[in-house]
Amino acid sequence: GATANKASHNRTRALQSHSSPEGKEEPEPLSLELEYIPRKRGKNPMKAVGLAWYSLYTRTWLGYLFYRQQLRRARNRYPKGHSKTQPRLFNGVKVLPIPVLSDNYSYLIIDTQAQLAVAVDPSDPRAVQASIEKEGVTLVAILCTHKHWDHSGGNRDLSRRHRDCRVYGSPQDGIPYLTHPLCHQDVVSVGRLQIRALATPGHTQGHLVYLLDGEPYKGPSCLFSGDLLFLSGCGRTFEGNAETMLSSLDTVLGLGDDTLLWPGHEYAEENLGFAGVVEPENLARERKMQWVQRQRLERKGTCPSTLGEERSYNPFLRTHCLALQEALGPGPGPTGDDDCSRAQLLEELRRLKDMHKSK
């Protein structure tokens, strides 16, 4: 951990959160006293803000107004999206990544026979609507992983445009324009799409991930992970602790290796850089980094990966590995509790990641 400790100061991820504007007309965006820093490779589009701001961003209109400012700037800078993406077409099912804001991904999951679509985390309603029209599908459901505006900001406009569209999410998370609350293991059915909600608290109290069952179309299952899990990374623990996040990550670890991972952000290059600091001898990480760097040089997206791949190089899924435990971990807990030591290791990894500054 010594190398990571030499990295420069903490780069807190952008906090785009909300208090639901239910029933109110959207105000004109205000000019906030916050500096916008253009996105560089592997960097977040906002100046870092401390955790002390988190309540302000999640519980007041400032978070919403800041999201509107981000949206406007990102549309100007990336009129065709921040990355070039490719859809995955299976037997009658299509998964379409939509690059939005400066590094977010929204998704359309389409039953191509019924021409029905589900949107996941539609933060830019204009970009999502353009994809809906291009695909010639009917939007019938929105799945929100969590409340932050960079994942839920399009709920209002899309649900108003598509009157029969249902908005799903956790009732614990204050999802804007929520119509259909979900609990752990609830299933959303749209045509031949069977999508299971899994409770994964930690980033937020009510964070959900969504698992598209591959069996009906004889293909791989797909995990839409929001801000729980990224390629070689995981989300910050804003509304939980290390034990909570470890339990949520273990929920994902219980899924099959061939499950495709569709994350909420394009963080691959930065995350793999950090993984190289804590596991410099990991050859799987090195191979993946070479591929990711080639992709990013051409501004191509890096999703999906697979959970099998993630197990091989994502340090946040490798807290059971002896090499990481010996390098960074505190050793077994006072009662020999392995889960306790894994949670402490996860907490240390998160601390080092927050200090890490990619070159």
Side-chain angles (χ1 to χ4, degrees):
T3 305
N5 280 319
K6 294 178 183 176
S8 57
H9 87 324
N10 186 7
R11 257 188 331 93
T12 305
R13 286 194 317 129
L15 308 180
Q16 306 99 18
S17 305
H18 82 288
S19 59
S20 176
E22 185 76 40
K24 297 183 180 179
E25 288 302 314
E26 173 186 316
E28 287 298 314
L30 302 179
S31 177
L32 303 183
E33 296 299 319
L34 291 170
E35 179 184 359
Y36 176 84
I37 296 182
R39 179 180 180 269
K40 298 179 182 179
R41 188 174 69 176
K43 299 299 177 64
N44 195 278
M46 294 195 303
K47 185 176 182 179
V49 292
L51 286 175
W53 285 86
Y54 185 71
S55 179
L56 180 68
Y57 276 90
T58 55
R59 297 179 183 178
T60 75
W61 273 86
L62 285 178
Y64 179 72
L65 295 175
F66 188 57
Y67 149 76
R68 294 294 302 177
Q69 183 183 66
Q70 277 192 290
L71 187 60
R72 187 173 64 254
R73 291 179 183 271
R75 284 171 174 173
N76 290 336
R77 182 165 187 179
Y78 305 110
K80 295 183 179 180
H82 58 75
S83 300
K84 304 169 189 174
T85 61
Q86 288 291 327
R88 286 289 181 95
L89 185 62
F90 307 106
N91 181 27
V93 172
K94 187 176 191 177
V95 177
L96 177 65
I98 305 170
V100 292
L101 296 175
S102 60
D103 55 27
N104 280 77
Y105 285 116
S106 299
Y107 297 95
L108 282 185
I109 313 171
I110 301 170
D111 179 329
T112 59
Q113 295 177 358
Q115 291 293 283
L116 300 176
V118 173
V120 180
D121 287 352
S123 56
D124 184 344
R126 183 190 299 174
V128 174
Q129 179 61 30
S131 293
I132 290 169
E133 294 175 4
K134 183 178 179 180
E135 296 294 323
V137 295
T138 300
L139 181 68
V140 295
I142 291 170
L143 303 179
C144 255
T145 59
H146 63 293
K147 63 190 173 185
H148 294 163
W149 284 114
D150 63 324
H151 294 258
S152 65
N155 290 3
R156 188 194 73 160
D157 289 357
L158 288 170
S159 61
R160 285 181 176 179
R161 179 184 285 265
H162 303 273
R163 292 295 182 178
D164 294 328
C165 179
R166 306 180 297 273
V167 180
Y168 293 91
S170 170
Q172 299 181 56
D173 227 39
I175 302 293
Y177 295 91
L178 180 72
T179 63
H180 287 66
L182 291 174
C183 298
H184 182 60
Q185 298 287 359
D186 282 351
V187 175
V188 177
S189 297
V190 173
R192 70 191 308 186
L193 307 176
Q194 299 289 312
I195 305 170
R196 186 177 302 275
L198 301 175
T200 52
H203 184 68
T204 64
Q205 183 180 2
H207 193 286
L208 297 174
V209 298
Y210 295 99
L211 182 68
L212 173 65
D213 185 4
E215 180 59 30
Y217 57 89
K218 306 302 180 186
S221 294
C222 293
L223 178 68
F224 299 89
S225 60
D227 281 0
L228 170 70
L229 187 67
F230 310 120
L231 194 156
S232 194
C234 79
R236 296 192 66 187
T237 307
F238 287 126
E239 298 181 11
N241 53 34
E243 289 79 9
T244 306
M245 184 61 82
L246 179 65
S247 177
S248 294
L249 292 172
D250 281 349
T251 296
V252 168
L253 275 174
L255 304 177
D257 280 356
D258 63 346
T259 302
L260 298 181
L261 174 66
W262 301 94
H265 289 269
E266 179 56 67
Y267 289 161
E269 191 169 12
E270 179 182 0
N271 286 345
L272 285 164
F274 170 71
V277 171
V278 295
E279 275 197 296
E281 306 297 322
N282 189 319
L283 296 180
R285 184 215 67 89
E286 179 60 31
R287 288 191 296 270
K288 190 67 175 184
M289 177 62 116
Q290 291 173 5
W291 178 83
V292 163
Q293 288 175 333
R294 291 195 298 270
Q295 292 289 103
R296 298 311 294 158
L297 281 174
E298 299 178 17
R299 286 189 58 208
K300 292 181 179 178
T302 60
C303 58
S305 62
T306 69
L307 290 185
E309 285 186 282
E310 293 301 315
R311 293 179 215 276
S312 71
Y313 54 62
N314 187 332
F316 297 96
L317 295 181
R318 293 170 58 78
T319 52
H320 58 282
C321 293
L322 184 61
L324 269 179
Q325 291 176 356
E326 290 178 344
L328 303 174
T335 61
D337 187 346
D338 182 59
D339 284 344
C340 176
S341 63
R342 289 181 61 217
Q344 290 173 309
L345 176 54
L346 182 66
E347 187 171 27
E348 177 65 4
L349 282 168
R350 185 70 258 174
R351 185 186 72 81
L352 295 176
K353 176 64 175 68
D354 293 342
M355 293 172 60
H356 178 70
K357 184 175 182 179
S358 60
K359 297 177 174 61

